[in-house]
């Protein structure tokens, strides 16, 4: 049994944490918490995460919620090429993670829910989500015009966290034509071996 236990489901934000664990080569156990069955409301799970949301991790005696915060923790703890190397890079990783949450996650979630048939969103809500992505994607396009990755060097936790939020856009058939730098960056990140492994797990789960 691994010291790291991830609570959630591959078709949920837990996949973000699984991607990070795969990138870092960590052994982990996935404890399936199916929110459609109400697993998140059991006393045992609420004792770990009183918000009744996924994912949660238990790493030894450490319990954490919130997928992007968990990824920042894992990168810092285990180091390697995905971790920030300076205080400035660490702040940049936090900045981009917060940007993903505040600027694009709500819209991206609506689009992927609609594309996968997880929720029946109205055409008006889908159109509003598409419109709401225009400004933040333009910002991201301008940043990527001058660098290959968000912190300026190699792929890092900053890239992983933002791609984990935006990576659903191609699957949702969102038109990235006006944002060629974003599209190329997303594709390169999603084609990483760890990401592809998560994609195969997700596809298998969707067939069941």
């Amino acid at each position: 049994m691994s010291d790291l236990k991830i609570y959630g489901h591959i078709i949920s934000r837990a996949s973000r944490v699984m991607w990070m664990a795969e990138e870092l080569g960590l052994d982990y156990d996935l404890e399936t918490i199916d929110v459609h069955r109400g697993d998140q409301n059991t006393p045992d799970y609420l004792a770990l995460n009183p918000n009744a949301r996924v994912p949660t991790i238990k790493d030894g005696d450490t319990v954490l919620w919130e997928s992007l915060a968990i990824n920042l923790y894992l990168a810092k703890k285990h180091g390697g090429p995905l971790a920030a190397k300076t205080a400035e890079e660490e702040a940049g990783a936090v900045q981009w993670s917060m940007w993903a949450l505040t600027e694009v996650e709500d819209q991206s979630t609506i689009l992927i829910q609609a594309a996968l048939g997880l929720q029946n969103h109205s055409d008006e809500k889908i159109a509003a989500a598409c419109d709401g992505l225009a400004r933040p994607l333009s910002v991201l396009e301008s940043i990527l015009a001058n660098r290959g990755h968000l912190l300026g060097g190699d792929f890092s936790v900053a890239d992983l966290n933002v791609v984990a939020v935006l990576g659903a856009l191609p699957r949702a058939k969102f038109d990235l034509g006006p944002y060629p730098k974003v599209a190329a960056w997303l594709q390169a990140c999603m084609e990483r071996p760890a990401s592809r492994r998560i994609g195969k797990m997700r596809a298998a789960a969707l067939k069941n």
Side-chain angles (χ1 to χ4, degrees):
M1 180 178 293
S2 169
D3 286 341
L4 176 61
K5 182 175 285 189
I6 301 172
Y7 297 83
H9 195 285
I10 186 64
I11 309 173
S12 76
R13 290 175 177 85
S15 64
R16 302 170 179 177
V17 180
M18 295 168 67
W19 181 8
M20 174 58 80
E22 293 280 342
E23 287 280 356
L24 295 173
L26 302 179
D27 290 328
Y28 63 92
D29 296 318
L30 177 64
E31 180 77 19
T32 298
I33 301 295
D34 188 337
V35 297
H36 300 291
R37 291 191 316 218
D39 296 348
Q40 75 278 17
N41 295 314
T42 63
D44 286 348
Y45 187 70
L46 289 172
L48 294 171
N49 188 340
N51 300 294
R53 298 187 183 277
V54 294
T56 301
I57 67 163
K58 193 170 188 298
D59 185 26
D61 294 328
T62 300
V63 176
L64 287 174
W65 327 314
E66 301 298 332
S67 59
L68 304 189
I70 291 168
N71 283 351
L72 291 167
Y73 159 79
L74 291 175
K76 186 174 182 66
K77 177 176 179 178
H78 295 282
L82 270 68
K85 298 172 181 62
T86 64
E88 291 79 10
E89 286 191 356
E90 187 167 0
V94 173
Q95 168 193 274
W96 279 110
S97 299
M98 294 178 69
W99 179 89
L101 287 172
T102 58
E103 298 292 335
V104 299
E105 182 167 47
D106 286 349
Q107 297 94 323
S108 178
T109 299
I110 288 168
L111 296 181
I112 194 60
Q113 286 175 340
L116 297 180
L118 299 175
Q119 288 199 30
N120 187 25
H121 293 300
S122 67
D123 291 343
E124 291 79 7
K125 190 169 186 177
I126 293 170
C130 290
D131 291 343
L133 286 170
R135 185 175 184 277
L137 287 179
S138 294
V139 170
L140 189 56
E141 181 75 9
S142 68
I143 294 293
L144 293 172
N146 299 309
R147 63 183 74 169
H149 294 93
L150 294 180
L151 298 186
D154 296 327
F155 180 82
S156 74
V157 61
D159 298 284
L160 190 154
N161 274 357
V162 177
V163 173
V165 176
L166 286 178
L169 294 185
R171 284 182 284 144
K173 309 302 183 187
F174 181 86
D175 181 15
L176 287 168
Y179 316 104
K181 297 292 185 181
V182 174
W185 168 78
L186 276 175
Q187 182 176 359
C189 294
M190 296 297 289
E191 287 181 354
R192 294 177 63 83
S195 174
R196 291 174 68 86
R197 289 196 294 273
I198 295 300
K200 289 179 180 178
M201 293 181 211
R202 184 187 298 111
L206 286 168
K207 289 180 180 178
N208 296 330

